[in-house]
Amino acid sequence: VVPPGMVHAFSRLCSLKVTNIYYQSEWLSEDLFLLLKQRGLVPLFLAAELFEHPSTKRVAHFCLNETTLEKCIDELRDICQALLHDTWQSLFIKTCFIKFLILLSEAYCMDSESTHTLPFRAETWAVLEEIEDRLLSGTPFSFSHCAEKVGLSSRHLSKVFMKDVGLRPHAYFIRRRAHHAARLLLLQNTSLTEIAFQLNYSSSAHFCNQFKKLYGISPLE
């Protein structure tokens, strides 16, 4: 599994067959805390896109046994079949893809060098959960209020969060809000004004500017 911006190579090849599978982390952005309950899934497939901690920036290598490989192929086959039917909903494809990721994450956790969970402190988890709650409910995020809830000063909590995540809380919030915006752009026929309002941007122009800074393209593009 190769995170964004990383490279890899093969050596000592013999009868190699390669299947490349590309995915966008934004497809999964709504279900972060649900996916965290599955061992290895977020560390393997989402952490490098979400966080800036050095431990997330590595290429993971692991093997599949024949049974798991066949199950993975079945899920990919169902996805390909679903793409041929306009009447099949995207929920079916997403479900197959998540099942595929779970199969891989379970195989990954069998490896002795795998990272099953993210080694964040409780205070960091509290901030992450508060951000997700605010984004999904479309309500403003207040870091000072979050610090008050966990019983730390804003300065101390910011340092704890930075050490775990590799980003300041506000920078992480901006990134996650853009992820949610991208999900809405990909999955719904929603106007930019509606997305800006739903995610509590101050205006459509503010939304477009922050989105372009992160993705390098405008929401319309």
Side-chain angles (χ1 to χ4, degrees):
V1 178
V2 186
M6 303 287 290
V7 297
H8 74 111
F10 298 105
S11 62
R12 299 188 300 277
L13 307 181
C14 180
S15 302
L16 176 69
K17 294 182 180 179
V18 176
T19 300
N20 289 317
I21 300 168
Y22 301 92
Y23 67 97
Q24 291 176 285
S25 60
E26 291 80 6
W27 295 342
L28 309 171
S29 65
E30 187 179 18
D31 305 318
L32 178 59
F33 274 81
L34 178 63
L35 298 178
L36 279 165
K37 295 179 181 179
Q38 172 65 38
R39 287 192 322 148
L41 194 150
V42 171
L44 186 60
F45 296 109
L46 290 173
E49 182 72 12
L50 293 173
F51 313 121
E52 291 297 334
H53 195 281
S55 65
T56 67
K57 308 298 184 182
R58 66 188 187 94
V59 178
H61 301 265
F62 56 97
C63 295
L64 306 182
N65 59 39
E66 289 187 12
T67 301
T68 301
L69 176 60
E70 189 57 40
K71 288 180 179 179
C72 287
I73 291 172
D74 286 343
E75 297 302 333
L76 293 175
R77 187 179 292 118
D78 285 346
I79 290 172
C80 293
Q81 186 67 27
L83 292 171
L84 300 176
H85 296 269
D86 293 337
T87 57
W88 288 20
Q89 299 298 312
S90 61
L91 178 61
F92 177 84
I93 295 174
K94 182 178 179 180
T95 301
C96 291
F97 185 61
I98 290 176
K99 287 170 64 181
F100 172 75
L101 296 186
I102 289 173
L103 288 166
L104 293 181
S105 63
E106 288 176 345
Y108 168 69
C109 285
M110 298 295 291
D111 190 291
S112 60
E113 296 184 0
S114 66
T115 302
H116 296 190
T117 58
L118 297 166
F120 294 165
R121 280 161 281 196
E123 295 85 355
T124 298
W125 284 118
V127 177
L128 294 172
E129 188 166 6
E130 179 74 6
I131 288 174
E132 294 303 316
D133 287 344
R134 294 302 177 185
L135 288 172
L136 291 174
S137 64
T139 53
F141 169 66
S142 169
F143 182 66
S144 60
H145 177 68
C146 193
E148 188 177 317
K149 284 175 63 177
V150 301
L152 296 176
S153 69
S154 295
R155 184 175 181 181
H156 187 190
L157 182 58
S158 181
K159 288 182 178 179
V160 169
F161 190 90
M162 177 70 180
K163 189 170 183 180
D164 283 347
V165 173
L167 291 166
R168 295 292 181 190
H170 183 63
Y172 177 81
F173 174 77
I174 289 174
R175 176 178 292 193
R176 283 300 288 148
R177 185 157 61 168
H179 288 169
H180 281 277
R183 171 180 59 82
L184 294 172
L185 288 167
L186 288 168
L187 298 180
Q188 299 181 16
N189 184 21
T190 310
S191 72
L192 299 187
T193 302
E194 289 172 316
I195 293 175
F197 177 79
Q198 185 172 332
L199 293 173
N200 212 40
Y201 285 96
S202 59
S203 65
S204 297
H206 180 220
F207 163 45
C208 292
N209 288 337
Q210 286 205 341
F211 189 93
K212 190 165 186 176
K213 282 181 181 178
L214 183 64
Y215 286 103
I217 59 173
S218 72
L220 284 176
E221 291 173 302

